[in-house]
Amino acid sequence: MPTIPVPSRASTSGEPPVPAADPARLRLTDGAILLAFAAVTFLLGVFPLKDVDFWWHLRTGDLIRETGEIPRTDLYTYTVPDRSWIDLHWGFQILLSYGFERGGVVFLNLAKCVITTIAVLLLVTAKRREWPLWVMVLTWLPALVLLGGRMYIRPETLTLLYISIFLAVLFRWDRQPWLGLVLPLTQVCWVNTQGLFVFGPILLTFALIDAALRPNAFGPDRRRWWKIALGVSVLVGLACLMNPYGIRGALFPLTDLLFGTLNDPIFKQEIAELSSIPRLIAESAGYPHFMLIVHLTVVALGGLSFVIPLLWQGTARLGDLRLSPTTPEPAERSRKTKGKKTKASTRRETNRKPAVEPSWSLRPFRLLLYLAFTALSWQATRNSHQFAAIVGTITAWNFGEWAAAVLRRRAEQGKTAIPRLWPRLVTLCVTVGLFATVASGQLYALAEEGRTIGLGEEPAWFPHRAVEFAGSEGLPPRFLGFHIGHDALFIYHHGPERKVFVDPRLEVMGSDQYRAYSKLSRAIATDDPRAPWRPGLEQAGNPVLLADHSLATGVGVSLLLEPSWRCIWFDEVASVFAHEPDARTADLPAVDFLGRHFGTQLDPSPPSRDVEWLSATKGLSKFVLVLLEQRGRPDQASVLIPLGLDLARETRRRMPGAAEPWAFAAALELGRVPGLGVAGADRRYLRPFDPVADLHRARVAAFAREALQRDPDEQIALSALLGLALQGGMTEVAIPLLERSAARPPRSPQQAMSRDASRTQLDRLKTQLGREPRIDVSNGERIRRSVDALLASGRVASAVELLEEQYPLAERDWPTTDRIAALQMHLGYPDRARQSWQAVVDPPNLAIRQARVAATFYAVDDLDTARDAYRQALIEDPELFDAHFGLMLVEFDAGRADLALEAARNALGRAPDDAAKAAVEAIIRRVEPYAGR
């Protein structure tokens, strides 16, 4: 295309002269834009490895290098061992093996970033010289964000590079047809690194259709071009056959991907990356997540890149038609005062001047690409990578060409068409701003995907130690992981000698086998009596089982409760189970959670990094919640809670500013609250403080408050505090918590139902709370009545506020102080309660006050200080049950079995009632097996 003519600085259109920007400065700014764009692309790939497919690819690459053979039948499963395996990824796998050997995951992550950056730069620089770079980069950015969402160490990274080469060549081959010879070589590499090599012939076919539809497409001057183009096309087709499997490999995208195994609905229903965009929209409950919005934005922007230039072109041509041959142009009208001779001369020039051609045309090649890859992305989110690259490029081409056409038309009409600096600076600022958003983690916070900046493996993500243990000598050589990606990790550590039930190679496994796995997984997770899962495991050969804490908690809980299976490993990521006879044969003891807490069984693989401690705490808290809320097994939950609190305590020490350890501790402690789950059944705040009934409630509230102080939106803490408030009848506390829950945008139909339930419950509680009672503070008796009325209506915080206002700290007697402090403990403010109790100068019972103060330290898990305070109370009164009971809990939580048992026996003889006696006896039963060891 011709270079845009630049009119003289004194415009003939009557516009004021515009100073031309310095060309060197424009080039420098364009270079900065391109550099910033490349930097954003690179940074989007700098995140820790989380992709589970990595491991089976790596193991296969190692095997190919070791044996010199490319696999043709399945090597890794014991369920479909002889099934045909067309491994077109073999070239990628060899590269992966070499790279891992030389630099590990960090090197491979950097290589992925470099390859992706090169590919994207090839795409954004495939342009005509006159197309403004700033326009193309600006319109590319949404697609770049979407592309960054799947920048994994996968074969699709090489597919992105091949697509970029194809598009860069096809963009230029109309004028340089011999560039097409690059395509067969690229196709040979492509067909031996990923099954999506079919995109190459598709791109080439669309380009040939585009060439055939152009004016004079088959004229004499185009014959040479067609000979080269058709020759290149034949070579590309032949290149598809140049794979180890010949015609079977060439047909693989059709027989296995498009119309084969992966077309089964079971995969779209259960594999997240195979979900369609309509399904994601339906599941968003009207609140689509960030990346879905980005995807739809890229679709819309791509469509607009056709619509807007077409509308502009049509408008421009209509404008030209309206200009009659005798109608003077604006420039002539501005000079009408210069005399009749000038006007006549100008009119003759106008009559000879043809209409200005808008110089933008719809390219079939671009339209076909946009339609095809948009439809492809609509079918499965895993296609967003290729979709973003191609539609981002098409969008940039369309808008870039349109911007150049607008400038050209202005120049031909005699209007100002000088390149400006400010749009470039705006684009540079936007690109740098996106870089900062990625670097600061704000983009990933919006995406709600928990991604961070890093180059190694995602901490506490892959259960390496659990998988290594699952392949121990003496255990069955069969493995089943209830996170299908962990089977890939088992393949890496133990394959192909030890084999798996299923793995992520869906086209090898087949839909029937995956359906059997999915059915078995659901049956175990729900422990559904209508779908017995024990026979299913027997049919599977009773393999070694691994349950992921994050995604398969229900599976882990069911197996933990099943006597015929033994938990032989439990770490921060996963648990491992063996069939009881196999565990006995291998002489592998069951994990003793209380034994780990009391130190009688060592953890063979304790957490080492902060994030691992946090993950371990989260895993145990999820087990406890499932045991309590879904299985109704507080007895088994109580076995896990002490170890979970140990983990939370250590995590808080390592991460003092984090909210999660406090929140997980609140969830764990909630399992020790008497009468949990019966809403409003026991308004403990109406009675004096009782350590047996109230200490665990106070700890839940205090832990939740500590979490919310660090993060006001910590959902686990909000949930724990809400559950405690509802169970305790503290309506005034529950209402604002429910309001926050009801205001949260749902991310799924289930969350929408939960939100609606919260709103219904909120309306009921507001009705139940009613109008605030009349407050009368004219005398002590009326103050007491007002406080009683507030408490009776569930307004605990208002009652405390009234008491504190009417009775200053230094003027309170013991009964008033004890009442205020007890209410503060129920609300989760032990520090304020301690201040109240300690302010009484002459309490009637020093031991009682000291035991109350000790309880405030225990409420915030300060075990050492609480122990000293309880011992001081026992010095004042050796017979005080409250002190013995509190000391028992402190020593139990601290993992001191002997001292806990001694304190429990002392408390048992002084228990004031049956409830106290039962609570002490429960501790004795837990501690006795570990005392003296």
Side-chain angles (χ1 to χ4, degrees):
M1 291 186 179
T3 303
I4 300 174
V6 179
S8 64
R9 297 178 64 181
S11 174
T12 59
S13 65
E15 297 180 359
V18 179
D22 183 3
R25 184 176 297 179
L26 294 177
R27 288 193 297 271
L28 183 62
T29 308
D30 283 347
I33 291 172
L34 198 60
L35 181 62
F37 186 75
V40 173
T41 306
F42 188 92
L43 185 62
L44 282 169
V46 181
F47 57 86
L49 172 69
K50 296 175 75 173
D51 180 42
V52 292
D53 281 349
F54 175 88
W55 300 106
W56 72 264
H57 280 305
L58 178 58
R59 181 58 184 145
T60 306
D62 291 342
L63 285 175
I64 294 173
R65 292 176 61 199
E66 291 169 8
T67 64
E69 296 180 0
I70 298 170
R72 295 180 179 274
T73 57
D74 181 36
L75 300 174
Y76 300 130
T77 68
Y78 67 89
T79 49
V80 287
D82 298 323
R83 182 162 292 176
S84 174
W85 180 16
I86 300 177
D87 182 24
L88 295 178
H89 306 97
W90 68 273
F92 166 79
Q93 290 157 353
I94 291 176
L95 294 175
L96 193 69
S97 177
Y98 274 113
F100 189 80
E101 181 180 77
R102 282 155 178 76
V105 172
V106 172
F107 174 80
L108 291 171
N109 241 333
L110 287 172
K112 168 201 67 178
C113 296
V114 170
I115 292 171
T116 302
T117 303
I118 292 172
V120 172
L121 286 179
L122 279 174
L123 293 174
V124 82
T125 55
K127 58 183 287 292
R128 299 285 186 259
R129 181 179 300 177
E130 66 270 18
W131 295 359
L133 178 67
W134 68 267
V135 172
M136 298 184 66
V137 167
L138 199 60
T139 54
W140 233 106
L141 291 179
L144 183 62
V145 172
L146 182 63
L147 185 147
R150 285 190 61 87
M151 284 177 62
Y152 302 138
I153 306 175
R154 275 190 171 189
E156 62 190 53
T157 297
L158 293 180
T159 283
L160 175 65
L161 179 62
Y162 302 142
I163 286 175
S164 302
I165 294 172
F166 261 75
L167 288 178
V169 169
L170 294 176
F171 181 81
R172 297 174 174 89
W173 82 331
D174 188 58
R175 294 176 296 174
Q176 300 169 281
W178 290 107
L179 279 178
L181 294 177
V182 174
L183 301 184
L185 299 176
T186 304
Q187 191 67 28
V188 170
C189 296
W190 202 342
V191 75
N192 289 287
T193 47
Q194 196 189 21
L196 294 179
F197 68 87
V198 69
F199 288 162
I202 290 174
L203 296 176
L204 186 57
T205 300
F206 288 170
L208 292 174
I209 292 173
D210 180 270
L213 294 177
R214 291 189 179 187
N216 196 33
F218 300 101
D221 58 333
R222 295 286 291 171
R223 290 176 183 174
R224 179 173 174 272
W225 184 93
W226 277 105
K227 289 180 181 180
I228 297 173
L230 292 176
V232 166
S233 302
V234 170
L235 291 176
V236 168
L238 292 175
C240 294
L241 298 172
M242 297 179 66
N243 68 81
Y245 310 95
I247 188 66
R248 290 180 60 216
L251 295 177
F252 174 80
L254 298 178
T255 58
D256 287 69
L257 298 182
L258 186 59
F259 300 114
T261 302
L262 295 187
N263 196 41
D264 194 292
I266 185 68
F267 294 124
K268 291 185 176 294
Q269 293 168 8
E270 304 206 3
I271 305 294
E273 67 177 21
L274 296 178
S275 294
S276 66
I277 295 299
R279 182 181 176 186
L280 290 181
I281 294 173
E283 291 179 350
S284 68
Y287 294 87
H289 59 77
F290 176 77
M291 291 307 292
L292 178 56
I293 293 173
V294 173
H295 191 115
L296 297 176
T297 299
V298 173
V299 173
L301 196 60
L304 289 174
S305 73
F306 292 98
V307 173
I308 291 176
L310 283 174
L311 291 176
W312 169 81
Q313 185 181 54
T315 303
R317 287 179 174 170
L318 286 175
D320 290 341
L321 291 175
R322 290 195 190 99
L323 290 175
S324 64
T326 58
T327 302
E329 292 185 348
E332 296 171 341
R333 289 197 298 269
S334 66
R335 298 193 300 270
K336 62 183 179 179
T337 57
K338 293 185 179 180
K340 294 182 179 180
K341 183 178 180 180
T342 303
K343 286 193 283 187
S345 174
T346 305
R347 186 177 297 113
R348 285 192 299 271
E349 292 175 6
T350 302
N351 290 338
R352 292 193 300 268
K353 185 177 180 180
V356 178
E357 173 61 41
S359 301
W360 192 93
S361 59
L362 178 65
R363 307 292 185 190
F365 176 60
R366 300 178 196 175
L367 183 60
L368 288 170
L369 284 177
Y370 171 76
L371 294 176
F373 281 87
T374 297
L376 192 67
S377 76
W378 215 247
Q379 296 301 313
T381 58
R382 70 180 298 174
N383 300 324
S384 62
H385 195 246
Q386 299 83 32
F387 159 76
I390 288 179
V391 173
T393 303
I394 298 304
T395 303
W397 283 351
N398 284 342
F399 279 122
E401 185 178 16
W402 173 55
V406 170
L407 290 176
R408 183 182 303 106
R409 180 176 173 82
R410 289 181 61 85
E412 291 173 352
Q413 289 178 331
K415 298 179 181 178
T416 302
I418 297 174
R420 306 289 181 89
L421 182 61
W422 70 264
R424 291 167 168 77
L425 293 177
V426 169
T427 302
L428 180 61
C429 289
V430 171
T431 310
V432 171
L434 178 58
F435 181 93
T437 303
V438 177
S440 65
Q442 294 179 12
L443 179 69
Y444 300 137
L446 285 172
E448 299 178 2
E449 57 185 25
R451 188 177 290 186
T452 58
I453 302 295
L455 288 171
E457 289 185 34
E458 179 73 16
W461 186 259
F462 297 109
H464 283 285
R465 292 172 292 191
V467 165
E468 288 172 0
F469 184 80
S472 299
E473 288 296 327
L475 287 174
R478 301 174 298 279
F479 177 84
L480 172 54
F482 290 99
H483 177 315
I484 197 170
H486 293 160
D487 296 85
L489 188 61
F490 187 87
I491 287 171
Y492 170 71
H493 284 289
H494 303 294
E497 293 76 19
R498 291 175 176 267
K499 299 188 183 296
V500 299
F501 184 81
V502 291
D503 65 64
R505 298 168 305 142
L506 303 180
E507 69 278 8
V508 177
M509 173 176 46
S511 58
D512 291 339
Q513 187 63 22
Y514 182 83
R515 192 171 278 105
Y517 158 77
S518 180
K519 181 179 178 181
L520 181 61
S521 178
R522 284 195 301 271
I524 300 176
T526 59
D527 199 17
D528 187 352
R530 296 169 299 176
W533 49 268
R534 294 160 188 83
L537 289 178
E538 290 179 8
Q539 293 174 6
N542 286 326
V544 180
L545 306 177
L546 183 143
D548 174 79
H549 295 336
S550 178
L551 300 176
T553 312
V555 171
V557 169
S558 294
L559 294 170
L560 191 65
L561 296 174
E562 172 54 43
S564 63
W565 286 85
R566 181 184 295 185
C567 180
I568 57 176
W569 182 275
F570 197 100
D571 65 16
E572 68 277 4
V573 182
S575 48
V576 178
F577 298 85
H579 198 229
E580 187 65 30
D582 295 327
R584 285 197 304 269
T585 301
D587 195 23
L588 294 173
V591 172
D592 186 347
F593 296 95
L594 280 176
R596 288 189 181 184
H597 168 66
F598 288 117
T600 60
Q601 185 187 78
L602 295 180
D603 184 347
S605 181
S608 57
R609 292 178 288 182
D610 294 352
V611 68
E612 291 176 355
W613 283 96
L614 183 62
S615 179
T617 308
K618 179 181 180 181
L620 266 176
S621 68
K622 292 188 71 172
F623 264 69
V624 168
L625 289 176
V626 171
L627 284 165
L628 291 171
E629 296 177 358
Q630 298 180 18
R631 306 301 170 84
R633 292 293 301 272
D635 56 328
Q636 186 62 42
S638 65
V639 174
L640 306 184
I641 289 171
L643 181 59
L645 292 173
D646 292 341
L647 296 170
R649 197 173 297 117
E650 176 62 19
T651 307
R652 291 198 305 268
R653 187 188 68 80
R654 292 168 170 267
M655 306 169 65
E660 293 97 327
W662 287 105
F664 293 143
L668 288 162
E669 191 69 27
L670 200 62
R672 302 163 89 176
V673 174
L676 179 67
V678 184
D682 187 9
R683 295 192 172 194
R684 283 296 316 160
Y685 61 82
L686 294 175
R687 291 183 282 278
F689 186 81
D690 178 2
V692 176
D694 296 333
L695 259 179
H696 294 304
R697 286 184 172 88
R699 278 165 63 85
V700 174
F703 292 168
R705 296 286 185 193
E706 288 284 352
L708 294 174
Q709 184 177 350
R710 290 162 173 78
D711 180 3
D713 295 322
E714 173 44 67
Q715 293 303 311
I716 296 174
L718 287 169
S719 234
L721 195 58
L722 176 60
L724 188 70
L726 292 173
Q727 191 267 343
M730 295 186 287
T731 310
E732 187 182 44
V733 174
I735 284 177
L737 298 174
L738 274 172
E739 287 176 337
R740 295 177 67 172
S741 177
R744 286 187 66 207
R747 296 300 187 208
S748 67
Q750 292 77 15
Q751 290 184 8
M753 291 174 61
S754 177
R755 179 198 58 183
D756 294 341
S758 295
R759 290 175 175 175
T760 301
Q761 190 175 29
L762 181 61
D763 293 338
R764 181 177 59 80
L765 286 182
K766 286 182 176 179
T767 302
Q768 177 183 318
L769 187 65
R771 297 179 60 183
E772 184 174 0
R774 181 175 177 274
I775 305 300
D776 188 346
V777 296
S778 57
N779 58 51
E781 178 60 23
R782 291 181 177 177
I783 292 174
R784 183 187 65 78
R785 291 178 181 174
S786 297
V787 170
D788 289 345
L790 288 171
L791 293 175
S793 67
R795 291 179 167 87
V796 181
S798 296
V800 172
E801 184 179 346
L802 178 60
L803 285 168
E804 288 180 326
E805 180 182 335
Q806 296 302 315
Y807 299 100
L809 191 62
E811 301 176 9
R812 297 172 191 166
D813 57 12
W814 176 254
T816 303
T817 296
D818 198 39
R819 189 179 198 188
I820 292 174
L823 293 174
Q824 290 168 333
M825 291 285 280
H826 283 290
L827 291 171
Y829 301 110
D831 292 341
R832 290 165 56 183
R834 184 185 314 127
Q835 185 182 18
S836 296
W837 274 318
Q838 288 179 333
V840 180
V841 178
D842 189 19
N845 189 321
L846 288 173
I848 287 289
R849 181 179 73 172
Q850 193 63 24
R852 296 285 194 270
V853 170
T856 66
F857 289 111
Y858 180 62
V860 291
D861 214 33
D862 185 352
L863 301 184
D864 292 337
T865 308
R867 179 186 300 110
D868 293 341
Y870 278 125
R871 287 175 175 171
Q872 186 63 38
L874 289 173
I875 292 174
E876 297 290 341
D877 182 0
E879 299 299 315
L880 183 62
F881 169 80
D882 289 19
H884 285 294
F885 182 83
L887 188 59
M888 173 193 72
L889 294 179
V890 168
E891 301 297 4
F892 182 87
D893 283 1
R896 301 181 177 189
D898 293 343
L899 295 176
L901 183 59
E902 178 186 353
R905 287 171 176 167
N906 290 332
L908 186 62
R910 297 165 177 83
D913 51 41
D914 290 343
K917 184 178 179 181
V920 174
E921 288 174 341
I923 294 293
I924 291 175
R925 286 193 299 271
R926 294 294 183 197
V927 173
E928 276 184 330
Y930 305 96
R933 293 169 61 185

